[in-house]
Structures are given as C-alpha cells and as structure tokens.
Amino acid sequence: MESIQYDVVIVGSGISGAVIAKTLTLAGKRVLILEAGLEAGIALEGEAAYNAYQNYLETFYKAPAKAPNSPYPDLKDAPSIDVLDIVKLQPGKTSTKGYLVQKGPLPFASDCVRGPGGTTLHWLGTTLRMLPNDFKMKSVYGQSIDWPISYDDLKPYYQMAELEIGVSGDVHDQNYPGITPDFFGQQYVFPMKKIPQSYLDAVISKKTNKLKVNLHGKTYQLSCISTPQGRNSVPDTDYPYSKIVWNNREKKLKIEHADPYSNLPSLWDPYTGERCEGNASCVPICPVQAKYNALKTLKKADQKNLNILTKAVVSKVIIDDKTQQVTGIAYKRYTNPGEPEHTTGLATAHVYVLAASAIENAKILLASDAANSSDQVGRNLMGHLVMLTWGLSKEKVYPYRGPGSTTNIPTFRDGDFRSEHAAWISPIDNWGWSWPVFSPGSDVSTAIANGLFGKALRTHINEVVTRQVLLHFEVEQTPDPDNRVTIDPEYVDPLGNYKPVINYNVGDYMLKAFEAAKIVSDQIFAANDLEDHTVYNPVTDPDYVVYKGQGYTFRGAGHIVGTHRMGFTKQDSVVNKEQRCWDHSNLFLAGCGNMPTLGTSNPTLTMTALAFSAAENILKQLEH
Amino acid sequence: MKTPTDHITLFTEISVWLTGFNEAELLATGMLDTYYQALQANSSQDDFSYFFKAVEIILHQNRNDIASTEKAIASMLMPVSAYNGIAGSIITMWYTGNWGNTVISGQAYIQGLVWDAAQTHPPGAKQPGFGSWNMPPL
C-alpha cells in the first residue's frame, strides 16, 4: 500500500466522504479513505456485508435502551458520541461521562456514529432542502450570518444529492413558506414516488391542515404535507436522471440520463430493501436497508481506484511551515479497539479532505493547529433543538407503524417572525411516545405497578398506546461563537487523541421560539381534542430551559453543524465557498461543519449537495 | 415435590391469566421454555416454589370462576411484596422480553406481546409490508 500514489486522502467514510470518494474515483482519481471504525463494517457486498449488518441488528434487539447508536460498536480507541451519556449538568461542573467532555452550561444533546457509513446508518432519512432565506439570514432578517452561496447556487447539487440518496417524495406537496415556483424547477420530480403517509397523519391532518392559529397577534394557516425521504418506494418513471459524471472538458459535474432510474437495494442482495417494508425502526437501523446509507454510495465507487484503511484513527494534519500546504495525515492504527496498543502511519496525497463529522473535523484541526487563522475552528456549534409535545387522541391513531415521520407542518419554516425568534418545522411523529417517555415499555411497567394484569392489562395497553400522538418542534439554532469544540490535554482517549470539549448554551432567539411553538402546539392540541400529557421536568431533563417563567425541555436531533463554517473572507470563516481551507490550499473540509446556518431542514441532504460541490472543486483543482 | 413439567404447565396457565393472552397466543411466541428458565434463573428457590404453590392453590380453588380467580391473583400474586414481584416480572417478560432492564434475548424482544396488544409490531421486526401504515391495522 505504501507504494500507491494517491490523488486524495479522505478522512471518514460517512456520506460526505463516500460521495467525494465515489465522484473522484469514477473520474479516475486514486483515493484513500482513512476510517476509524472496524473492518467488518466496511463490507460492501455479499455474505460479509450481510453478516456485519445482522450483527448490528442482533445488537439492537438485545439493547436495553434502543438509542440511535445502540446497534453499532462503540470503540474505546475511536469512541462515538452517545445520547445515553447526556446528563444534567450542575452549575460549574463538567461531565466526562461519555466521549464528549461537557462543560455546559447545557449539555450538547446530539450524537453520531463513528464507523463505516457514518451516521447514515442511524439517520431517519428525512431529505428536505433548505429554503432560500436560510442562506441569507443576515440580509433578510438581521440575524446570524449569510452564506457565501445562495440556494440557486446549491440547487443543481441538491438534484445530485436527491439522485444519490434516492429520494421518495411528491414535489407537488412541497409548498414551503418563502419559496417561488421555480424552487424545484419546472416539471421536476423526485426519483421515487412519495412514501405513503401514515394513518395517524391522516387523522391529525384532518383537523390540522388549514387550521388557523394565532401567534403574537398574527394569524397563520397551517398546512400538513408529505415529507421527502431517503428510503425506497416505487421509482417514478418520469424521473430523468440516473448518473452523476465529471465532464473534464467543461470542468463540471453533470447529472445525466443514462438508464432508467433504479433504486438502491441492500448491499447484500438486489432483491432486499427495494421498498420500505414498514419495520418502523429507521432510527436506529433499517433491517432491510430500504433506507439509504453511505455504504451504498461507496459501493458505486470505482473500486480499483479506492482503498479504505479501517481501524485508522486520524490524530493530526501535518502542515509544511513554509508553504502552508498539507503534507500528510497522521493516523494511529489499533489492532484491538479496546486496547491502547497501536501503530502509526502517515497518509499522503495531493489533496486532503476531512469528512469525519463536524465535531471530529474541528477536533483534528485544533489538534493540528491548522486552518485556524480566523479563530473560527470549533466555534458556532449548532443543532436542531427538538421540543416535543405529546397527548392522547380520542380516536385511535395506531402509532408505532411506518417510518418515523411521513408528514410535517412547514408553516413556521420561514417568515417575518425570524427577525424576532427562530423558525421551526413540525414533523408529525409515527412512533407514539417512545422518545419522551420510552413507551410502550413504560406503559407496561406503570400498568403493572398499578396492579393491572390479564385482559384488563391487555385492553389498557391497547387503549393507551393506540392513541399516543407526538408532535415535534424542531427549532433552528443560530451560530454563537461561544458554543464550541475545544481540546485540552487533560482529556484524551486511550490512543492519546483528544476528546472533544464542548461549551454549549441556547440563546433567547431560540427560547422565544419554544414559547411560540408551544403556543401553536396548544392550538393544535385543542383543535384535535388531544389530552395533553406533555411534561418538562426541571429536575431530570438535561436540557431544561426557562423563558419568561415557563420551562421547556429540548432534545438533540442528531444534527451536528457549524464547527468550521464557510464564509466570505479569511477572517470570518474556516473554508471558502469552494469548501477549501482559506489557510491551506490543498485541504478541503466536508460535512455539516461547513454550514454557516442550519435552517429547518434535517442537514443530510444539504451536506450531500455540498459534498458534490466539494468533489467538483477538488477535481477542478486536480485537473488544473 | 412438583416436577418441572408440572411447573411449566402451571407457568403456562398462570401466564394466560396474567397476560390476557390465550395459550395459543403464548405458545406461538416460542418463548415459553426460555421465560420459564429465565424465571427460575432470576428468582430465589424459595420465592419460586412458594409462588408456584400459591398458583396451584389459586387455580385449583377457583377453577372456572373468572372473577374469583382474578380476585385471588390481584390479592395474592400482584402485590410487589408477593414473592418478590414474580407475577409482575412474568408479565414484563411476556410483554417486553425483558427481565428487569435486561433483554432476555433478541428473540424475546421480537416476541414482546406489548406490540400485539397495541396492534402493531416490534420496531425492526415482523414488518407488515410497504404502505401498510397508511391504513388502520388489520
């Protein structure tokens, strides 16, 4: 392997790394991926892929808490951030319970998977584009900052992302505030027809769609629309594209028609996972791989141009003092992920890409004293803040069926209120009260504690669980330089690599959105005659906040964004709009860390669009 | 001294009373022996044998009388103070596949009856098929 001359070294095999590796190898470039996770998980076909995945599934079945990371290995030598490690922080106290060193005052509540395929293994699969105003928050609303690129700039890459992931959706349903009719483009359709919406969605939509709600003296009419998703349904024969190719003459990536679109089945069998089968476990694991994951993209790479080195944990980017060029990436390779013994290596190429997740990228750069002339590395850490409300419906709605969410209320994704408070999207959830109160297991234990048994117990469970409604208010967080990742020699993992130290808080702009969202939620509950069971517990909820005397609890959405943002100048940002570090011309950063703001879209689709754009810029640089 | 077979029979009978699922539904899970063994492994010998003695008496004395059987179960088996909460643990096993917070096996999770009671299926298994969630359950 030492003798191979690589064009590009990529750190991480999640969706950004996979998209860039696929695009570059198909354009004839030699690529090495350094992946911190285990070898078994990188299997891309046949029995090996099946067996690795079945191990995940069996681990999930046996996990007492079926948290997002529960199916996947947590390695001492390459630890993952896990929501189960989040604890309420005492003032001035630091939590070192998990991989993150949480300094607070609030704990950061999102997690990710550190291993082959990255967090696409446990993502829900929601694939919403960001809205035009999300890219210009400063100029339109006087809040946070503008992106150096616009929605229109990113639009062709969104199309590539939708092809790559395999989005199922109905374009006609996608009416968002603040968009013009050319948001998707004339006659655009998604690769596959929409995922059927749940019965629960239909019941709730009956009284919620077109409901007029009042907020701060203004009336808004709610709409309930189908959600585009990265999981397989029925291919749309009107969808024209099937391929993304590098056009070397024009120096551009092009989305092209080659063959009729065919959906991406499981890695191990072309006849498994062609359609969502309704396992209702998208997070943390789709048993049939009907849901997209990044390994499907890696499988489409030109394998003769691709090497993947697993068990290789990157510790440092090596920079030449004089030229400020990256000369290599130093990694530590463990044999046993539970033991500190390791060998060291240096991966070299012409161009380097960090695609190891927002927090990991920032950590590696800080450890390398790299890319940080702006002092922005690690800053502006953001996530979606999920405020849940839950109640019982008079009519049975039959939750715990279908994908996690198939319908959303987009009404508050954009509007003039954004000069006052944050926007949000409201997915209608299909999985009952499992998230806030661990139903239905908790319903069983409570019933038993109350002495219920036999037919009465069975009836009680039926009556309660089939009526559980959960609404979800996913609030955008704006960038704050004090919400940040740092490193500290006091906190290292067994390989001697830094653990991320997190300072995190939530400002009034978001708290005000919790207040507003709760006002809207109350009106939805009233219109649907839902019996409210929402409880925000000041003692036990780790992310409990108070605004104007009212308490709210938010949870993490698993969207980790903004630690090495792109910007207009070397002073305000870590990367330029080409996603190249201002400080090092042969170092690109990829992933949600590049995003200056986050809007109300689950960020994976935008990250994927950005990854295609980055791949194009890397190819331009290599072909220069 | 009861033989294990007698105890398994009693375990089946009392499980029907405790869970509200009939014998065919319980047997269909394939979990009977596993749960009986889990019960044995996780209970003290005293609790285990006194529990089955009580079960035998309840089922014998109230034969075919639903109301009096339920009354006896409620007062003699359901209190947490009775046999260290074995009755509740049996219900928990059948409904969730757990003993306390431990998942007995992957199969136990999949066979949890809470999902049947709620007219659905365990997340990640027994998938009902494309689009089924668009309609009320069968």
Side-chain angles (χ1 to χ4, degrees):
Chain A
M1 203 196 75
E2 300 308 322
S3 60
I4 298 174
Q5 294 293 308
Y6 291 103
D7 294 298
V8 178
V9 171
I10 300 172
V11 180
S13 68
I15 189 164
S16 292
V19 161
I20 294 169
K22 186 198 97 168
T23 309
L24 298 184
T25 57
L26 290 177
K29 304 302 169 197
R30 305 296 311 259
V31 171
L32 171 68
I33 292 180
L34 299 172
E35 167 52 54
L38 299 173
E39 179 73 18
I42 205 69
L44 297 177
E45 52 197 321
E47 207 177 323
Y50 178 78
N51 288 342
Y53 207 71
Q54 289 305 305
N55 274 335
Y56 294 159
L57 193 59
E58 191 59 27
T59 307
F60 160 71
Y61 289 151
K62 288 185 196 153
K66 297 198 161 34
N69 275 357
S70 58
Y72 310 107
D74 186 21
L75 313 173
K76 280 190 175 155
D77 288 345
S80 288
I81 304 167
D82 194 326
V83 289
L84 297 176
D85 293 323
I86 297 162
V87 293
K88 197 169 179 72
L89 299 176
Q90 299 311 314
K93 292 270 164 40
T94 298
S95 165
T96 54
K97 183 169 180 235
Y99 176 47
L100 295 184
V101 177
Q102 301 256 18
K103 294 226 170 223
L106 292 171
F108 186 71
S110 281
D111 62 5
C112 59
V113 176
R114 209 163 161 206
T119 307
T120 54
L121 293 179
H122 86 207
W123 76 315
L124 177 57
T126 299
T127 47
L128 292 159
R129 297 185 185 186
M130 287 175 68
L131 304 182
N133 284 343
D134 295 339
F135 295 84
K136 39 190 185 183
M137 286 292 288
K138 187 75 184 175
S139 33
V140 179
Y141 299 116
Q143 292 291 339
S144 53
I145 50 162
D146 289 355
W147 290 47
I149 57 172
S150 68
Y151 172 77
D152 284 337
D153 292 332
L154 204 55
K155 192 165 151 183
Y157 303 97
Y158 269 131
Q159 294 190 349
M160 293 178 199
E162 282 158 355
L163 167 59
E164 187 62 41
I165 288 172
V167 170
S168 297
D170 184 345
V171 171
H172 296 296
D173 287 357
Q174 305 307 310
N175 296 310
Y176 316 133
I179 65 167
T180 52
D182 63 349
F183 182 77
F184 285 101
Q186 284 288 313
Q187 295 176 332
Y188 185 72
V189 295
F190 291 118
M192 288 174 278
K193 293 183 176 169
K194 78 171 176 183
I195 293 282
Q197 291 163 274
S198 70
Y199 177 76
L200 182 154
D201 292 338
V203 175
I204 299 301
S205 297
K206 249 188 315 194
K207 300 217 173 112
T208 310
N209 193 34
K210 298 192 177 160
L211 175 69
K212 290 198 167 66
V213 297
N214 298 311
L215 179 64
H216 303 322
K218 224 179 141 181
T219 304
Y220 297 82
Q221 181 169 286
L222 302 183
S223 62
C224 300
I225 63 172
S226 63
T227 305
Q229 296 156 58
R231 60 178 54 78
N232 289 332
S233 74
V234 181
D236 188 332
T237 49
D238 289 336
Y239 183 70
Y241 307 119
S242 60
K243 226 176 170 176
I244 299 155
V245 290
W246 166 247
N247 184 317
N248 200 23
R249 195 170 44 81
E250 294 182 39
K251 300 278 183 276
K252 270 180 92 67
L253 275 184
K254 297 256 172 145
I255 184 164
E256 284 183 358
H257 175 91
D259 308 297
Y261 176 80
S262 64
N263 50 16
L264 298 163
S266 71
L267 296 171
W268 58 84
D269 171 22
Y271 303 109
T272 297
E274 290 177 291
R275 305 275 182 280
C276 170
E277 298 179 9
N279 268 289
S281 61
C282 323
V283 182
I285 186 167
C286 174
V288 297
Q289 290 191 342
K291 181 186 74 175
Y292 170 85
N293 69 62
L295 298 171
K296 294 186 180 188
T297 289
L298 271 184
K299 187 174 178 167
K300 290 192 290 181
D302 184 339
Q303 304 299 325
K304 72 176 186 303
N305 288 334
L306 178 65
N307 271 325
I308 304 174
L309 190 66
T310 56
K311 304 188 283 182
V313 188
V314 168
S315 45
K316 220 173 168 183
V317 176
I318 311 296
I319 312 274
D320 182 287
D321 274 349
K322 276 196 196 119
T323 64
Q324 285 301 303
Q325 293 276 296
V326 176
T327 55
I329 290 189
Y331 60 86
K332 296 176 179 175
R333 196 147 193 252
Y334 57 83
T335 314
N336 177 341
E339 304 295 335
E341 285 72 30
H342 63 272
T343 55
T344 56
L346 184 72
T348 58
H350 299 298
V351 168
Y352 300 86
V353 182
L354 296 189
S357 86
I359 288 179
E360 210 59 36
N361 278 358
K363 193 199 87 176
I364 293 167
L365 290 174
L366 291 169
S368 316
D369 200 13
N372 202 17
S373 63
S374 62
D375 187 35
Q376 292 300 310
V377 171
R379 294 189 185 273
N380 308 301
L381 173 66
M382 298 175 274
H384 280 124
L385 314 169
V386 181
M387 188 188 84
L388 302 174
T389 57
W390 56 101
L392 283 182
S393 165
K394 292 231 162 28
E395 187 180 341
K396 288 186 177 177
V397 293
Y398 303 109
Y400 302 94
R401 301 185 313 137
S405 179
T406 38
T407 294
N408 73 83
I409 303 169
T411 314
F412 293 96
R413 291 187 63 191
D414 193 26
D416 290 343
F417 59 82
R418 287 176 102 177
S419 42
E420 301 297 323
H421 63 74
W424 69 83
I425 187 170
S426 307
I428 298 173
D429 286 24
N430 288 331
W431 298 344
W433 298 355
S434 53
W435 194 359
V437 297
F438 313 109
S439 288
S442 58
D443 300 302
V444 173
S445 52
T446 306
I448 294 170
N450 290 331
L452 277 181
F453 66 92
K455 292 226 160 63
L457 170 67
R458 186 174 177 173
T459 304
H460 169 81
I461 292 297
N462 183 271
E463 289 295 326
V464 171
V465 178
T466 58
R467 297 172 198 277
Q468 291 178 348
V469 174
L470 179 70
L471 297 182
H472 180 148
F473 299 83
E474 204 152 317
V475 174
E476 70 171 330
Q477 183 171 24
T478 46
D480 177 341
D482 293 332
N483 287 344
R484 64 188 296 202
V485 182
T486 54
I487 52 171
D488 180 338
E490 196 184 329
Y491 304 110
V492 292
D493 68 20
L495 287 188
N497 289 321
Y498 289 102
K499 294 170 74 176
V501 179
I502 306 291
N503 288 79
Y504 186 70
N505 205 357
V506 169
D508 276 1
Y509 186 72
M510 277 60 68
L511 298 184
K512 211 170 168 186
F514 293 153
E515 180 196 41
K518 188 63 170 55
I519 290 169
V520 172
S521 177
D522 288 346
Q523 293 173 73
I524 298 172
F525 271 50
N528 286 277
D529 207 4
L530 300 176
E531 183 181 294
D532 199 346
H533 284 251
T534 309
V535 176
Y536 303 134
N537 190 319
V539 180
T540 54
D541 293 345
D543 281 308
Y544 176 86
V545 290
V546 176
Y547 182 70
K548 289 188 181 168
Q550 289 290 327
Y552 305 91
T553 294
F554 71 87
R555 291 164 170 82
H559 305 159
I560 309 178
V561 176
T563 53
H564 45 74
R565 70 187 185 188
M566 68 166 81
F568 294 89
T569 70
K570 197 176 176 351
Q571 285 75 40
D572 70 7
S573 53
V574 180
V575 295
N576 61 18
K577 66 180 179 184
E578 292 169 336
Q579 300 170 76
R580 185 189 291 108
C581 290
W582 292 105
D583 297 343
H584 316 289
S585 64
N586 65 341
L587 177 61
F588 285 78
L589 304 182
C592 291
N594 285 342
M595 294 168 62
T597 61
L598 140 96
T600 52
S601 307
N602 308 45
T604 299
L605 188 76
T606 301
M607 159 164 63
T608 309
L610 287 170
F612 277 111
S613 171
E616 186 179 72
N617 294 327
I618 293 165
L619 282 167
K620 273 188 210 166
Q621 180 157 328
L622 288 169
E623 297 290 348
H624 187 64
Chain B
M1 182 74 186
K2 289 284 171 192
T3 65
T5 316
D6 296 326
H7 272 167
I8 285 199
T9 307
L10 283 176
F11 177 66
T12 312
E13 279 185 56
I14 197 61
S15 290
V16 170
W17 283 102
L18 289 172
T19 61
F21 284 83
N22 67 34
E23 189 174 338
E25 289 170 313
L26 296 184
L27 291 178
T29 65
M31 299 309 293
L32 184 76
D33 289 342
T34 305
Y35 290 162
Y36 176 74
Q37 282 158 18
L39 174 65
Q40 205 167 20
N42 290 291
S43 312
S44 75
Q45 220 169 10
D46 271 4
D47 287 334
F48 186 82
S49 57
Y50 285 127
F51 174 78
F52 277 108
K53 265 184 200 154
V55 166
E56 193 173 11
I57 291 165
I58 290 168
L59 296 180
H60 182 73
Q61 284 181 348
N62 305 287
R63 199 158 290 278
N64 299 326
D65 188 318
I66 294 171
S68 61
T69 305
E70 286 184 341
K71 204 173 160 196
I73 290 171
S75 63
M76 294 170 66
L77 302 184
M78 285 306 290
V80 280
S81 51
Y83 317 105
N84 203 20
I86 280 182
S89 298
I90 291 173
I91 299 173
T92 303
M93 278 199 292
W94 284 111
Y95 269 67
T96 68
N98 282 16
W99 185 275
N101 285 326
T102 306
V103 183
I104 291 167
S105 65
Q107 205 40 234
Y109 163 72
I110 292 170
Q111 298 301 336
L113 291 173
V114 63
W115 308 107
D116 300 72
Q119 293 176 265
T120 182
H121 64 96
K126 298 184 181 174
Q127 68 272 38
F130 182 72
S132 55
W133 55 89
N134 181 247
M135 293 162 273
L138 292 173

